[in-house]
Amino acid sequence: MREVLIRGAEVVVTMDGARRELAGADVLIRDGVIAAVGVGLASTGEVVLARGCVVTPGLVNTHHHLYQTLTRAVPGGQDALLFGWLKTLYPIWAKMGPEEIRVSALIGLAELALTGCTLSSDHLYLYPNGARLEDTIHAAGEIGLRFHPTRGAMSIGESAGGLPPDSLVEREADILNDCIRVIDSFHDASEGSMCRVGVAPCSPFSVSRGLMKDAADLARDKGVMLHTHLAENDEDIAYSLAQFGCRPGQYAEDLGWTGADVWHAHCVKLDSAEIDLFTRSRTGVAHCPCSNCRLGSGIAPVRAMRDAGVKVALGVDGSASNDAGNLIAEARQAMLLQRVQNGADAMSAREALEIATLGGAQVLGRPDCGSLEVGKRADIAIWDVSGLEAAGAWDPVAALLLAGPPRVRHLFVEGRQVVRDGQITTIDLPRVIETQNRLARQLAG
Ligand SMILES: [Zn+2]
């Protein structure tokens, strides 16, 4: 039996059913699970002092392309809309291989961990030069984050009227076979699972209708989740109307891409009928506000979706379109962006924090994560609010989003300390950064 006691927090934000915030409270972890939350707990195990800290559930990231940390701030892609941005980056991505995929994943996951994330999904939809999904799975294992990798895919290349170059697309039969391989090899459906695999054709404009349908059938057969990009911007809607004769929501519904086991990234352009469809079908949304701003895609109707009962979570999106992977900053951006559109009372700091934690766990189908309650997995972020950023704050919980700090002091995943005093404990981060920069220079050369 292994115990860790997080003691004497300024506030413990539970995200339980009553959204209780407990002043001066402790959290007791036993064998990777939360054993108690309350004031004056005792343990004979390790003690981590949390004086001056806000303790929250670990944040959940529901959309990323980790490999893109190798193509941050690429000059030709800095100021382009989605389709032009993709066309600039595809030839660079085509030069990557297994080492690039693994190292870039370590970088992206380290950045997430330091900014409060304990559970991340990833959407890997290109496999150049022998790269495989497990290159990212091994990286997540090294760093110790809970991981939901999705087996993405592109099958319609330029010669067939698609957007990506032919060298980056795969045969549809090969895609489905590799989905089966990675699910059978790496998917763990059990409670407390550290790895769940999903099926994720890249987008309706890079795979066929047939593959969308087959992917949905396969995912249901295997009991895994489905993920893709949907209704990202006006170009995306125009493409759907021109190619499929319907809006993206209709396309998704027709092909089996709605349900509690599906989540779509972006959904910036969902109309009211589509929001209603998502509510009825319990389909989830990965809201990626920084990427939407960066690519000028628009403001997702998060207020309307939340009011209608749609499950909304956060995603930092790939690092070629953010270009940060800072999840607490993403929560702040989500809050600010709704206010731009709907006024200052459109989203509170606490609601944004709820979307970033509980909301993410709900979208990814993880009732065992997302809140600090007895029996839940011990995925915990500890934020030091005694420092510069929150100095003078009257409400330390709201200050997390309104002021800072931008990084955690400590982070626990499944009860294991992945960040201690602001440093990753599991990998030699300075060395990985060096390798990453060397690989980026090679790609640029
Ligand atoms: Zn994306």
Side-chain angles (χ1 to χ4, degrees):
M1 191 176 75
R2 191 175 168 275
E3 283 191 355
V4 180
L5 180 64
I6 298 167
R7 191 161 75 193
E10 175 95 11
V11 186
V12 173
V13 181
T14 65
M15 289 294 165
D16 66 6
R19 302 293 184 271
R20 286 183 308 151
E21 295 177 3
L22 308 172
D26 313 327
V27 180
L28 179 63
I29 302 169
R30 186 176 298 138
D31 295 330
V33 175
I34 295 171
V37 182
V39 177
L41 302 180
S43 168
T44 53
E46 185 190 345
V47 174
V48 174
L49 295 177
R51 186 165 308 135
C53 294
V54 172
V55 177
T56 69
L59 274 49
V60 179
N61 180 44
T62 62
H63 188 64
H64 208 326
H65 312 288
L66 289 165
Y67 74 90
Q68 292 181 8
T69 59
L70 272 167
T71 50
R72 298 192 216 244
V74 169
Q78 285 175 19
D79 307 315
L81 286 174
L82 176 65
F83 285 13
W85 171 86
L86 282 169
K87 286 200 158 249
T88 301
L89 289 163
Y90 282 141
I92 303 172
W93 295 337
K95 292 194 273 184
M96 292 185 178
E99 174 74 349
E100 283 80 2
I101 299 295
R102 188 187 72 87
V103 171
S104 58
L106 281 174
I107 290 290
L109 291 168
E111 195 179 6
L112 286 171
L114 287 167
T115 58
C117 176
T118 51
L119 162 60
S120 183
S121 67
D122 186 45
H123 188 186
L124 183 61
Y125 52 82
L126 38 87
Y127 297 85
N129 308 304
R132 299 196 295 178
L133 188 67
E134 51 265 49
D135 299 325
T136 62
I137 295 173
H138 295 148
E142 270 184 72
I143 204 159
L145 286 203
R146 209 179 290 284
F147 195 44
H148 285 207
T150 62
R151 206 303 181 182
M154 299 191 291
S155 65
I156 303 183
E158 263 173 334
S159 64
L163 208 58
D166 289 354
S167 67
L168 278 180
V169 305
E170 300 173 90
R171 288 178 41 226
E172 299 199 337
D174 294 343
I175 291 166
L176 291 167
N177 282 331
D178 199 54
C179 286
I180 294 168
R181 181 187 71 83
V182 293
I183 293 166
D184 290 347
S185 304
F186 301 106
H187 180 69
D188 173 8
S190 68
E191 186 174 339
S193 168
M194 293 297 287
C195 182
R196 286 198 188 156
V197 176
V199 175
C202 184
S203 63
F205 56 80
S206 54
V207 303
S208 75
R209 198 180 179 92
L211 185 69
M212 291 294 286
K213 180 82 177 64
D214 290 346
D217 291 345
L218 171 66
R220 303 236 152 84
D221 180 49
K222 292 283 186 186
V224 303
M225 292 189 73
L226 285 164
H227 180 51
T228 193
H229 295 98
L230 202 80
E232 181 164 352
N233 69 1
D234 289 329
E235 288 173 292
D236 201 351
I237 302 292
Y239 184 93
S240 185
L241 290 169
Q243 297 294 315
F244 312 131
C246 64
R247 290 185 52 89
Q250 182 73 54
Y251 187 71
E253 189 181 25
D254 289 349
L255 296 173
W257 276 78
T258 51
D261 55 352
V262 184
W263 85 105
H264 293 288
H266 301 305
C267 299
V268 172
K269 297 293 176 181
L270 289 195
D271 67 13
S272 57
E274 288 168 319
I275 290 173
D276 184 47
L277 168 67
F278 274 49
T279 305
R280 280 187 280 111
S281 58
R282 302 290 295 142
T283 307
V285 170
H287 172 47
C288 307
C290 287
S291 173
N292 297 158
C293 289
R294 161 78 157 79
L295 292 172
S297 300
I299 302 173
V302 172
R303 183 69 275 149
M305 291 195 272
R306 293 264 302 170
D307 289 345
V310 176
K311 293 183 294 180
V312 180
L314 282 186
V316 296
D317 202 3
S319 304
S321 68
N322 186 318
D323 298 329
N326 181 324
L327 194 49
I328 191 74
E330 202 70 38
R332 171 180 163 88
Q333 187 75 9
M335 171 188 77
L336 296 177
L337 207 49
Q338 288 311 300
R339 293 174 178 217
V340 169
Q341 190 157 61
N342 304 306
D345 60 353
M347 184 177 288
S348 68
R350 282 177 170 78
E351 184 177 6
L353 191 59
E354 179 182 315
I355 292 171
T357 54
L358 197 59
Q362 285 167 347
V363 162
L364 293 183
R366 296 300 302 247
D368 53 344
C369 300
S371 62
L372 302 181
E373 297 176 85
V374 173
K376 302 276 174 153
R377 314 315 294 188
D379 291 2
I380 303 169
I382 303 179
W383 311 84
D384 185 349
V385 292
S386 70
L388 174 65
E389 292 87 357
W394 291 35
D395 175 349
V397 177
L400 260 188
L401 273 79
L402 291 168
R407 287 190 173 195
V408 291
R409 178 166 173 193
H410 305 300
L411 188 83
F412 288 85
V413 184
E414 190 72 0
R416 177 190 188 195
Q417 191 157 7
V418 172
V419 178
R420 179 179 290 120
D421 290 322
Q423 303 295 321
I424 302 269
T425 63
T426 45
I427 60 167
D428 182 353
L429 186 57
R431 236 183 100 193
V432 179
I433 292 171
E434 226 172 80
T435 309
Q436 167 96 338
N437 285 329
R438 177 173 56 76
L439 294 173
R441 281 194 301 273
Q442 282 172 12
L443 288 173

